[in-house]
């Protein structure tokens, strides 16, 4: 039996402690991950603790149980919510039903009743996970997957093999509802290999062909409510084409994909990485978005697996420079971007060795060498590198383009240039991240009075995905975005308390808090005293 994590939110500390103390959580298959005394704090702890179930009172300060439930449904749709209410009010029950609350419980509740409810919730969670893991059901789903002709069409579509005039009729014929959007976005899901321990019971790890089916089903279940999209299997992985229209945004799509990665890991015990490509203004050009999504997956070696990798976070936005489409050129580019000096050298030697195998005229060897130089040059242009500085090292490449006796020297020169570019790209990536975080901190310093300030607002300003920004912000500052913003606001509040005679509610609004009571709560939590007492000390 799985053990599920539960978070308890109630503004009465005695009630929380009594519930935690009186219930035999372990025997019911639960563990108490944490507790909170208001909805705002509960939201913060949900992000940190990742509970499976939230038990919340309906009446709490700063954010009530129904508002908390609405936020949970929006961002964490798989979490079960149990609402306690001391008010036998039909209107509350109606709102709870609309929010898909798992249980609506009237206070006072005794141990027997709550135990029975928790048993039902556990059974429901077990059933959901069992359905995802059930090999027999997944095998049936595998047999009944989308028609092969539709899969073939979508693969041809992202490869650019469908004439423009045939795209719309074919999409309508196959029932692919992505037409008529402002823009489109492709994402590719890579399922990471999992090692199975000896003696492990029958599971998805023993039925490798079923894992992509289960992942695809879960992705579709989570996206269906918010986006128009289509999914299919391609050579790159499980592929998504999403329509971005007036009802949603590119940022929210990437953010939701990040949540889906976490849910797949929790439910299926499988790690997935999702590469997200550049947006496309024309549906017929979706192939470019698809290819850049595959390119994004190549950065797993740098940022790690198990989340979303947005191509705009990793590479400069394309300014129309030529793309490398040949297999050999793509391999060299990939090594320069995120390879090691050893792998770069091996790749270069392998490419140069083909001239020996070909046994062609020297002029054709020179053309081959120039094509390698052109490949490197285009990548330099993409990253705005100093071509003169690199190409003039060791006397320049021109003197190496002579007869066959210079081939070894050319190989060494090309490997050295590629390694130098690799080092420069890595340094620039680190520098860019630090610069972006500094811009974010400056933006927070300038906009902290805005009560609506959020990660999404900052990411729109910086053209980054929220998930990547949050990870990099914490890595660079050692703090979460919320903790940093709170520190800025409270520091400014202390300054205003010391230097002005403003009322507490005025200071609260000046530093971004709409509710004076919540401002006092956060202030006291950090400094140990209320703002008023702080001023009088």
């Amino acid at each position: 039996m799985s053990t599920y994590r539960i978070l308890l939110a109630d503004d009465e500390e005695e009630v929380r402690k009594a519930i935690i103390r009186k219930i035999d959580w372990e025997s019911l298959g639960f563990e108490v991950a944490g507790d909170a005394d208001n909805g705002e704090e509960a939201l913060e702890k949900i992000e940190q603790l990742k509970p499976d179930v939230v038990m919340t009172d309906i009446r709490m300060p700063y954010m009530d149980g129904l508002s908390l439930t609405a936020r949970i449904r929006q961002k964490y749709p798989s979490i079960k919510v149990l609402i306690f209410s001391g008010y036998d009010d039909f209107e509350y029950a109606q709102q709870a039903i609309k929010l898909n609350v798992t249980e609506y419980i009237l206070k006072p509740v005794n141990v027997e009743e709550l135990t029975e409810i928790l048993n039902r919730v556990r059974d429901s969670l077990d059933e959901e996970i069992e359905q995802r893991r059930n090999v027999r059901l997944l095998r049936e789903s595998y047999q009944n997957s989308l028609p092969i002709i539709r899969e073939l069409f979508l693969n041809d579509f992202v490869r650019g093999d469908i004439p423009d005039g045939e795209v719309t009729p074919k999409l309508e014929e196959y029932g692919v509802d992505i037409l008529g959007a402002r823009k489109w976005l492709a994402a590719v899901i890579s399922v990471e290999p999992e090692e199975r321990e000896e003696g492990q019971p029958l599971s998805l790890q023993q039925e490798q062909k079923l894992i992509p089916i289960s992942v695809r089903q879960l992705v579709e279940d989570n996206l269906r409510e918010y986006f128009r999209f289509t999914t299919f299997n391609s050579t790159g992985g499980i592929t998504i084409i999403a329509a971005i229209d007036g009802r949603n945004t590119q940022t929210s799509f990437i953010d939701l994909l990040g949540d889906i990665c976490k849910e797949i890991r929790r439910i299926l015990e499988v790690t997935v990485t999702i590469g997200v490509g550049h947006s496309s203004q024309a549906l017929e050009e979706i192939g470019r978005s698809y290819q850049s999504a595959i390119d994004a997956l190549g950065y797993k070696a740098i940022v790690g697996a198990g989340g979303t990798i947005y191509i705009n976070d990793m590479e400069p936005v394309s300014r129309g420079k030529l793309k490398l489409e040949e297999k050999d050129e793509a391999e060299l580019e990939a090594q320069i971007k995120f390879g090691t000096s050893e792998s770069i050298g091996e790749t270069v030697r392998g490419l140069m060795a083909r001239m020996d195998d070909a046994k062609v005229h020297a002029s054709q060897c020179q053309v081959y060498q120039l094509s390698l130089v052109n490949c490197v040059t285009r990548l330099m242009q993409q990253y705005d590198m100093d071509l003169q500085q690199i190409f003039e090292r060791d006397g320049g490449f021109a003197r190496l383009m002579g007869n066959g006796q210079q081939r070894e020297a050319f190989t060494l020169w090309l490997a050295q240039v590629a390694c130098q570019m690799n080092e420069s790209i890595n340094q620039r990536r680190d520098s860019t991240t630090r610069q972006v975080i500094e811009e974010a901190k400056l933006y927070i310093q300038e906009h902290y009075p805005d009560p609506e300030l959020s990660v999404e607002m900052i990411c729109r300003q910086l053209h980054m995905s929220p998930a990547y920004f949050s990870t990099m912000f914490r890595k660079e500052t050692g703090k979460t975005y919320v903790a940093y913003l709170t520190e800025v606001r409270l520091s400014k509040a202390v300054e205003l308390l010391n230097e002005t005679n403003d009322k507490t509610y005025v200071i609260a609004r000046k530093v971004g808090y709409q509710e004076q009571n919540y401002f006092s709560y956060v202030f006291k939590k950090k400094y140990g005293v209320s703002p008023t007492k702080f001023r009088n000390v």
Side-chain angles (χ1 to χ4, degrees):
M1 180 177 68
S2 300
T3 299
Y4 300 106
R5 296 166 62 81
I6 194 164
L7 177 75
L8 180 60
D10 195 303
D11 60 332
E12 297 183 45
E13 185 177 7
E14 292 183 3
V15 172
R16 299 198 308 272
K17 289 184 176 179
I19 293 175
I20 294 172
R21 184 178 63 255
K22 292 180 180 180
I23 299 296
D24 185 359
W25 300 99
E26 185 176 355
S27 67
L28 295 174
F30 290 94
E31 63 171 304
V32 178
D35 63 305
D37 58 14
N38 62 74
E40 292 280 1
E41 185 180 5
L43 271 181
E44 293 181 19
K45 289 196 172 182
I46 289 171
E47 176 68 26
Q48 298 169 3
L49 303 175
K50 307 296 187 295
D52 302 290
V53 180
V54 172
M55 297 171 60
T56 177
D57 188 19
I58 205 165
R59 289 291 183 98
M60 294 185 295
Y62 317 130
M63 179 185 292
D64 63 29
L66 291 176
S67 299
L68 172 62
T69 302
R71 296 285 291 275
I72 291 173
R73 282 286 156 265
Q74 181 181 16
K75 195 164 186 180
Y76 311 99
S78 65
I79 291 179
K80 304 290 185 185
V81 180
L82 317 181
I83 285 189
F84 291 112
S85 174
Y87 302 86
D88 189 3
D89 191 313
F90 181 66
E91 183 179 346
Y92 282 125
Q94 278 187 315
Q95 294 182 53
I97 291 171
K98 289 180 180 178
L99 292 170
N100 195 24
V101 168
T102 305
E103 296 280 350
Y104 184 84
I105 310 162
L106 291 177
K107 289 182 177 180
V109 58
N110 56 46
V111 173
E112 291 75 17
E113 182 182 357
L114 187 53
T115 298
E116 183 180 344
I117 290 170
L118 290 171
N119 276 323
R120 290 201 300 267
V121 173
R122 184 202 61 228
D123 291 342
S124 176
L125 288 166
D126 285 344
E127 184 179 352
E128 287 181 8
I129 292 181
E130 182 61 27
Q131 286 178 351
R132 296 292 183 188
R133 296 177 178 173
N134 189 293
V135 174
R136 181 183 58 82
L137 291 178
L138 290 176
R139 185 176 290 110
E140 291 176 1
S141 178
Y142 178 72
Q143 296 297 329
N144 297 319
S145 59
L146 292 175
I148 295 177
I149 188 171
R150 176 180 176 275
E151 297 274 317
L152 291 174
F153 163 76
L154 290 170
N155 274 272
D156 288 342
F157 180 35
V158 295
R159 287 197 300 266
D161 294 338
I162 305 296
D164 291 352
E166 295 181 17
V167 170
T168 297
K170 289 292 184 182
L171 290 173
E172 291 175 341
E173 179 183 348
Y174 298 137
V176 180
D177 182 23
I178 59 173
L179 294 171
R182 289 187 294 108
K183 57 183 177 180
W184 292 264
L185 206 63
V188 178
I189 304 172
S190 172
V191 180
E192 308 300 334
E194 300 281 344
E195 293 185 4
R196 182 174 65 87
E197 297 180 1
E198 187 175 350
Q200 185 177 351
L202 183 63
S203 66
L204 291 175
Q205 277 67 32
Q206 292 171 277
E207 295 283 347
Q208 292 294 319
K209 65 183 179 182
L210 300 181
I211 292 177
I213 299 298
S214 182
V215 169
R216 181 168 164 179
Q217 285 181 340
L218 200 149
V219 168
E220 291 173 350
D221 290 344
N222 280 271
L223 287 177
R224 189 171 291 115
E225 184 177 351
Y226 305 99
F227 292 90
R228 293 188 297 120
F229 67 97
T230 186
T231 61
F232 57 100
N233 296 324
S234 69
T235 54
I238 301 170
T239 301
I240 308 168
I241 300 177
I244 306 300
D245 50 38
R247 298 178 303 160
N248 47 54
T249 65
Q250 180 172 318
T251 299
S252 62
F253 175 66
I254 297 172
D255 203 20
L256 181 55
L257 290 180
D259 293 337
I260 289 172
C261 288
K262 298 173 186 176
E263 187 163 358
I264 289 172
R265 183 62 189 170
R266 182 179 68 85
I267 294 178
L268 304 180
E269 300 179 342
V270 171
T271 300
V272 301
T273 307
I274 304 180
V276 183
H278 299 302
S279 62
S280 175
Q281 301 295 326
L283 185 55
E284 290 77 7
E285 297 176 359
I286 196 63
R288 296 180 181 177
S289 180
Y290 169 77
Q291 185 56 54
S292 60
I294 293 177
D295 292 342
L297 286 175
Y299 285 96
K300 284 189 291 185
I302 295 175
V303 301
T308 57
I309 304 176
Y310 182 31
I311 191 66
N312 280 10
D313 292 337
M314 309 310 298
E315 297 183 354
V317 176
S318 173
R319 304 187 184 282
K321 298 179 178 63
L322 294 173
K323 285 187 175 290
L324 306 175
E325 297 179 354
E326 295 296 327
K327 179 181 177 181
D328 296 338
E329 292 177 332
E331 181 183 4
L332 178 58
E333 178 181 345
Q335 287 296 330
I336 292 174
K337 286 181 179 180
F338 39 79
T340 64
S341 57
E342 292 78 10
S343 63
I344 290 172
E346 183 179 346
T347 298
V348 170
R349 288 190 294 273
L351 291 172
M352 291 297 296
R354 295 186 181 180
M355 290 195 294
D356 295 325
D357 297 335
K359 302 185 185 321
V360 295
H361 192 274
S363 61
Q364 293 189 39
C365 287
Q366 289 179 331
V367 171
Y368 182 78
Q369 288 175 289
L370 284 172
S371 69
L372 291 174
V373 172
N374 188 41
C375 169
V376 171
T377 302
R378 282 181 284 177
L379 193 57
M380 285 182 175
Q381 290 175 330
Q382 181 181 345
Y383 284 91
D384 296 323
M385 294 183 182
D386 187 347
L387 276 70
Q388 183 177 6
Q389 178 183 357
I390 294 178
F391 275 82
E392 287 184 355
R393 64 174 296 157
D394 300 331
F397 79 95
R399 70 177 184 84
L400 305 174
M401 294 290 294
N403 56 41
Q405 296 177 349
Q406 296 291 332
R407 189 172 301 171
E408 184 175 344
F410 179 86
T411 302
L412 178 61
W413 173 86
L414 183 61
Q416 290 174 338
V417 168
C419 287
Q420 184 178 348
M421 291 173 63
N422 172 264
E423 183 179 352
S424 177
I425 290 171
N426 288 336
Q427 291 176 350
R428 185 171 303 186
R429 187 179 298 116
D430 293 340
S431 176
T432 300
T433 297
R434 288 192 292 270
Q435 180 181 347
V436 167
I437 297 304
E438 288 302 315
E439 290 179 16
K441 290 163 68 175
L442 179 61
Y443 190 86
I444 292 171
Q445 292 284 348
E446 293 175 350
H447 295 83
Y448 71 87
D450 183 359
E452 301 299 324
L453 183 61
S454 65
V455 170
E456 287 73 17
M457 288 176 60
I458 295 175
C459 288
R460 284 196 295 269
Q461 177 74 17
L462 301 176
H463 306 291
M464 297 182 75
S465 64
Y468 183 76
F469 169 79
S470 297
T471 301
M472 291 299 101
F473 190 89
R474 186 162 192 167
K475 181 179 178 181
E476 289 294 321
T477 66
K479 302 173 184 176
T480 64
Y481 158 76
V482 172
Y484 184 83
L485 175 60
T486 300
E487 184 176 286
V488 170
R489 284 173 167 169
L490 292 184
S491 296
K492 185 61 178 179
V494 168
E495 181 181 326
L496 293 173
L497 286 168
N498 289 331
E499 298 179 2
T500 73
N501 294 320
D502 289 345
K503 299 289 186 182
T504 303
Y505 74 88
V506 174
I507 292 177
R509 291 178 180 174
K510 283 185 176 181
V511 298
Y513 291 97
Q514 290 179 308
E515 283 199 25
Q516 178 187 349
N517 290 339
Y518 187 63
F519 165 66
S520 298
Y521 166 81
V522 175
F523 191 95
K524 186 174 182 180
K525 191 174 180 180
K526 179 174 177 62
Y527 296 108
V529 294
S530 68
T532 302
K533 288 184 178 179
F534 184 92
R535 170 178 271 166
N536 294 331
V537 171

